[in-house]
Amino acid sequence: MKEKYNVVIVDDEFLAQKLLQDYVSKVDSLEIVAVCSNAFEAMNALKNYQVDIMFLDIQMPDLTGLELVKSLEHKPATIFTTAYSEYAVDAFNLSVVDYLLKPFDFPRFFQAVCKAIGSDQPLVSTVDKPRDSVSRSNDFITVKADYKLYKINYDDLLFIEGQHEYVTFHTTQRRITALFALKDLEEILPKDKFVRVHKSYIVSFKHIQDLDKSDVTVAGNKVPVGASYRDELLARLQ
């Protein structure tokens, strides 16, 4: 086996890119040389780098992942990462290494990587690498993500959106995405200031403007309310 395998990630969704980057960072033998948002960026990366493994989404604007692979005379070991199962036959007809159906976890990703390099032996994996972190203070939380430390005042935090293994903090100034579980965040945030309204949303009680049958308006943003959370939210509003 080589000491390092060059990796290209091709996906038009930021969160999908970030998840793959996190997974790749846990495998010592992998090194990212390019992160691309479309097939044309991927073509340039393949010209400029010696690429060993390409993680490739299928549904992308202008040129799909399938069309990209068909256009390549020499392609790296390709692993499709997609939310659509119906392209599996077409993908394997192109002799790709594996087909990862989103959302996939790290063990499934790791299995595909081992197939890509033709290894029956376990690669070195830093699976215990710490995730992004959130700590609480009296008036704010501190979020560590993307090698930065963000201070978010409770008064500025509108709502938090959970997306698979990620959460996005929607504030009055910006959005911050971190690798963190929404259920863990629910335990950290002060319950007198924030309320869970959906399996994918926690909102600031202060910024709630109104509640209708299926949504709550938070600082002008419509956030869905799950049936199992509605009664508690209604009781608190009353």
Side-chain angles (χ1 to χ4, degrees), residues 46-61:
L46 293 172
K47 290 178 182 177
N48 294 327
Y49 300 99
Q50 179 63 46
V51 178
D52 300 302
I53 302 173
M54 177 168 62
F55 293 96
L56 180 62
D57 189 20
I58 290 181
Q59 286 282 25
M60 294 185 295

Side-chain angles (χ1 to χ4, degrees), residues 71-233:
S71 72
L72 298 176
E73 185 176 354
H74 303 288
K75 66 176 183 289
T78 301
I79 299 169
F80 276 118
T81 59
T82 178
Y84 302 93
S85 60
E86 59 265 31
Y87 299 110
V89 174
D90 292 334
F92 285 113
N93 285 338
L94 294 172
S95 300
V96 300
V97 171
D98 211 335
Y99 192 95
L100 301 185
L101 198 59
K102 298 176 182 176
F104 49 87
D105 57 15
F106 178 77
R108 182 66 183 90
F109 163 89
F110 195 63
Q111 180 186 26
V113 170
C114 290
K115 289 173 64 177
I117 66 172
S119 172
D120 294 326
Q121 301 298 320
L123 296 175
V124 177
S125 169
T126 54
V127 292
D128 293 329
K129 181 179 178 180
R131 294 160 67 89
D132 295 338
S133 63
V134 178
S135 58
R136 171 183 168 178
S137 185
N138 289 334
D139 301 312
F140 61 89
I141 54 172
T142 303
V143 179
K144 184 179 181 182
D146 294 328
Y147 305 101
K148 295 181 181 178
L149 205 59
Y150 300 92
K151 177 186 175 185
I152 305 177
N153 294 321
Y154 292 141
D155 287 345
D156 297 329
L157 182 54
L158 305 177
F159 62 94
I160 305 104
E161 179 182 5
Q163 300 147 314
H164 300 312
E165 296 190 12
Y166 288 87
V167 294
T168 297
F169 298 87
H170 296 256
T171 77
T172 54
Q173 292 91 21
R174 58 186 171 182
R175 297 180 182 179
I176 299 167
T177 298
L179 183 62
F180 205 78
L182 195 68
K183 63 179 181 180
D184 295 334
L185 192 58
E186 186 179 11
E187 296 300 318
I188 293 173
L189 291 169
K191 291 180 170 46
D192 61 325
K193 296 181 184 296
F194 297 91
V195 58
R196 185 84 173 258
V197 298
H198 189 273
K199 65 179 182 179
S200 300
Y201 289 92
I202 297 172
V203 305
S204 165
F205 198 77
K206 172 184 177 180
H207 291 288
I208 292 177
Q209 295 171 304
D210 58 61
L211 170 68
D212 60 25
K213 185 175 182 180
S214 59
D215 300 291
V216 62
T217 305
V218 182
N221 301 278
K222 287 287 187 180
V223 174
V225 175
S228 60
Y229 300 93
R230 182 178 173 81
D231 288 346
E232 180 185 350
L233 177 59

